[in-house]
PDB file of all heavy atoms in Angstrom:
ATOM      1  N   ASP A  57      10.971  22.524 101.675  1.00 88.00           N
ATOM      2  CA  ASP A  57      11.400  22.661 103.063  1.00 88.00           C
ATOM      3  C   ASP A  57      11.549  24.178 103.443  1.00 88.00           C
ATOM      4  O   ASP A  57      12.189  24.501 104.483  1.00 88.00           O
ATOM      5  CB  ASP A  57      12.753  21.926 103.370  1.00 88.00           C
ATOM      6  CG  ASP A  57      13.862  22.389 102.445  1.00 88.00           C
ATOM      7  OD1 ASP A  57      13.638  23.245 101.606  1.00 88.00           O
ATOM      8  OD2 ASP A  57      14.965  21.896 102.619  1.00 88.00           O
ATOM      9  N   ASN A  58      11.016  25.011 102.552  1.00 89.00           N
ATOM     10  CA  ASN A  58      11.006  26.488 102.827  1.00 89.00           C
ATOM     11  C   ASN A  58      12.423  27.011 103.143  1.00 89.00           C
ATOM     12  O   ASN A  58      12.583  27.691 104.158  1.00 89.00           O
ATOM     13  CB  ASN A  58      10.038  26.791 103.970  1.00 89.00           C
ATOM     14  CG  ASN A  58       9.664  28.280 104.039  1.00 89.00           C
ATOM     15  OD1 ASN A  58       9.589  28.968 102.969  1.00 89.00           O
ATOM     16  ND2 ASN A  58       9.468  28.763 105.197  1.00 89.00           N
ATOM     17  N   THR A  59      13.351  26.704 102.353  1.00 92.00           N
ATOM     18  CA  THR A  59      14.721  27.025 102.571  1.00 92.00           C
ATOM     19  C   THR A  59      15.323  27.838 101.396  1.00 92.00           C
ATOM     20  O   THR A  59      15.008  27.515 100.253  1.00 92.00           O
ATOM     21  CB  THR A  59      15.582  25.751 102.757  1.00 92.00           C
ATOM     22  OG1 THR A  59      14.970  24.974 103.887  1.00 92.00           O
ATOM     23  CG2 THR A  59      17.034  26.041 103.111  1.00 92.00           C
ATOM     24  N   LEU A  60      16.238  28.719 101.711  1.00 94.00           N
ATOM     25  CA  LEU A  60      17.047  29.410 100.741  1.00 94.00           C
ATOM     26  C   LEU A  60      18.458  28.696 100.644  1.00 94.00           C
ATOM     27  O   LEU A  60      19.071  28.478 101.673  1.00 94.00           O
ATOM     28  CB  LEU A  60      17.250  30.858 101.148  1.00 94.00           C
ATOM     29  CG  LEU A  60      15.973  31.711 101.414  1.00 94.00           C
ATOM     30  CD1 LEU A  60      16.426  33.108 101.788  1.00 94.00           C
ATOM     31  CD2 LEU A  60      15.101  31.671 100.222  1.00 94.00           C
ATOM     32  N   LYS A  61      18.797  28.307  99.434  1.00 94.00           N
ATOM     33  CA  LYS A  61      20.025  27.554  99.318  1.00 94.00           C
ATOM     34  C   LYS A  61      20.939  28.088  98.205  1.00 94.00           C
ATOM     35  O   LYS A  61      20.477  28.651  97.215  1.00 94.00           O
ATOM     36  CB  LYS A  61      19.716  26.106  98.920  1.00 94.00           C
ATOM     37  CG  LYS A  61      18.938  25.317  99.964  1.00 94.00           C
ATOM     38  CD  LYS A  61      18.674  23.879  99.558  1.00 94.00           C
ATOM     39  CE  LYS A  61      17.967  23.104 100.677  1.00 94.00           C
ATOM     40  NZ  LYS A  61      17.731  21.724 100.261  1.00 94.00           N
ATOM     41  N   CYS A  62      22.274  27.953  98.438  1.00 95.00           N
ATOM     42  CA  CYS A  62      23.247  28.256  97.419  1.00 95.00           C
ATOM     43  C   CYS A  62      23.620  26.942  96.773  1.00 95.00           C
ATOM     44  O   CYS A  62      24.015  26.000  97.468  1.00 95.00           O
ATOM     45  CB  CYS A  62      24.399  28.953  98.025  1.00 95.00           C
ATOM     46  SG  CYS A  62      25.842  29.169  96.868  1.00 95.00           S
ATOM     47  N   HIS A  63      23.563  26.876  95.467  1.00 92.00           N
ATOM     48  CA  HIS A  63      23.894  25.640  94.770  1.00 92.00           C
ATOM     49  C   HIS A  63      25.414  25.450  94.493  1.00 92.00           C
ATOM     50  O   HIS A  63      25.762  24.518  93.821  1.00 92.00           O
ATOM     51  CB  HIS A  63      23.090  25.505  93.478  1.00 92.00           C
ATOM     52  CG  HIS A  63      21.612  25.259  93.735  1.00 92.00           C
ATOM     53  ND1 HIS A  63      20.692  25.394  92.774  1.00 92.00           N
ATOM     54  CD2 HIS A  63      20.980  24.968  94.862  1.00 92.00           C
ATOM     55  CE1 HIS A  63      19.472  25.174  93.268  1.00 92.00           C
ATOM     56  NE2 HIS A  63      19.613  24.836  94.530  1.00 92.00           N
ATOM     57  N   GLN A  64      26.247  26.367  95.008  1.00 92.00           N
ATOM     58  CA  GLN A  64      27.652  26.255  94.808  1.00 92.00           C
ATOM     59  C   GLN A  64      28.287  25.740  96.101  1.00 92.00           C
ATOM     60  O   GLN A  64      29.019  24.760  96.066  1.00 92.00           O
ATOM     61  CB  GLN A  64      28.259  27.614  94.463  1.00 92.00           C
ATOM     62  CG  GLN A  64      28.035  28.059  92.995  1.00 92.00           C
ATOM     63  CD  GLN A  64      28.764  27.159  92.046  1.00 92.00           C
ATOM     64  OE1 GLN A  64      29.836  26.567  92.295  1.00 92.00           O
ATOM     65  NE2 GLN A  64      28.161  27.048  90.811  1.00 92.00           N
ATOM     66  N   CYS A  65      27.978  26.387  97.213  1.00 93.00           N
ATOM     67  CA  CYS A  65      28.667  25.997  98.467  1.00 93.00           C
ATOM     68  C   CYS A  65      27.756  25.251  99.403  1.00 93.00           C
ATOM     69  O   CYS A  65      28.122  24.818 100.521  1.00 93.00           O
ATOM     70  CB  CYS A  65      29.261  27.182  99.180  1.00 93.00           C
ATOM     71  SG  CYS A  65      28.035  28.305  99.891  1.00 93.00           S
ATOM     72  N   ASP A  66      26.440  25.021  99.050  1.00 90.00           N
ATOM     73  CA  ASP A  66      25.471  24.368  99.822  1.00 90.00           C
ATOM     74  C   ASP A  66      25.084  25.094 101.124  1.00 90.00           C
ATOM     75  O   ASP A  66      24.511  24.532 102.093  1.00 90.00           O
ATOM     76  CB  ASP A  66      25.901  22.954 100.233  1.00 90.00           C
ATOM     77  CG  ASP A  66      25.925  22.015  98.956  1.00 90.00           C
ATOM     78  OD1 ASP A  66      25.147  22.207  98.103  1.00 90.00           O
ATOM     79  OD2 ASP A  66      26.776  21.119  98.960  1.00 90.00           O
ATOM     80  N   TYR A  67      25.395  26.410 101.188  1.00 95.00           N
ATOM     81  CA  TYR A  67      24.853  27.267 102.257  1.00 95.00           C
ATOM     82  C   TYR A  67      23.317  27.201 102.228  1.00 95.00           C
ATOM     83  O   TYR A  67      22.757  27.303 101.158  1.00 95.00           O
ATOM     84  CB  TYR A  67      25.357  28.692 102.131  1.00 95.00           C
ATOM     85  CG  TYR A  67      24.628  29.730 102.942  1.00 95.00           C
ATOM     86  CD1 TYR A  67      24.963  29.935 104.271  1.00 95.00           C
ATOM     87  CD2 TYR A  67      23.560  30.471 102.468  1.00 95.00           C
ATOM     88  CE1 TYR A  67      24.256  30.892 105.070  1.00 95.00           C
ATOM     89  CE2 TYR A  67      22.845  31.362 103.171  1.00 95.00           C
ATOM     90  CZ  TYR A  67      23.216  31.582 104.491  1.00 95.00           C
ATOM     91  OH  TYR A  67      22.544  32.502 105.239  1.00 95.00           O
ATOM     92  N   GLN A  68      22.697  27.184 103.371  1.00 94.00           N
ATOM     93  CA  GLN A  68      21.215  27.220 103.381  1.00 94.00           C
ATOM     94  C   GLN A  68      20.744  27.901 104.650  1.00 94.00           C
ATOM     95  O   GLN A  68      21.394  27.897 105.759  1.00 94.00           O
ATOM     96  CB  GLN A  68      20.645  25.844 103.233  1.00 94.00           C
ATOM     97  CG  GLN A  68      21.041  24.852 104.365  1.00 94.00           C
ATOM     98  CD  GLN A  68      20.427  23.420 104.128  1.00 94.00           C
ATOM     99  OE1 GLN A  68      19.562  23.327 103.287  1.00 94.00           O
ATOM    100  NE2 GLN A  68      20.915  22.471 104.844  1.00 94.00           N
ATOM    101  N   THR A  69      19.513  28.496 104.504  1.00 92.00           N
ATOM    102  CA  THR A  69      18.945  29.163 105.691  1.00 92.00           C
ATOM    103  C   THR A  69      17.453  29.247 105.486  1.00 92.00           C
ATOM    104  O   THR A  69      16.956  29.329 104.426  1.00 92.00           O
ATOM    105  CB  THR A  69      19.509  30.586 105.871  1.00 92.00           C
ATOM    106  OG1 THR A  69      18.850  31.274 106.999  1.00 92.00           O
ATOM    107  CG2 THR A  69      19.287  31.406 104.659  1.00 92.00           C
ATOM    108  N   LYS A  70      16.745  29.236 106.632  1.00 90.00           N
ATOM    109  CA  LYS A  70      15.274  29.432 106.573  1.00 90.00           C
ATOM    110  C   LYS A  70      14.956  30.882 106.975  1.00 90.00           C
ATOM    111  O   LYS A  70      13.769  31.234 106.957  1.00 90.00           O
ATOM    112  CB  LYS A  70      14.612  28.437 107.529  1.00 90.00           C
ATOM    113  CG  LYS A  70      14.696  26.982 107.105  1.00 90.00           C
ATOM    114  CD  LYS A  70      13.950  26.058 108.096  1.00 90.00           C
ATOM    115  CE  LYS A  70      14.085  24.604 107.677  1.00 90.00           C
ATOM    116  NZ  LYS A  70      13.357  24.313 106.463  1.00 90.00           N
TER     117      LYS A  70
END
Side-chain angles (χ1 to χ4, degrees):
D57 57 0
N58 196 34
T59 303
L60 306 180
K61 295 183 179 181
C62 172
H63 289 168
Q64 286 292 333
C65 71
D66 292 329
Y67 165 85
Q68 59 182 347
T69 179
K70 293 180 181 292

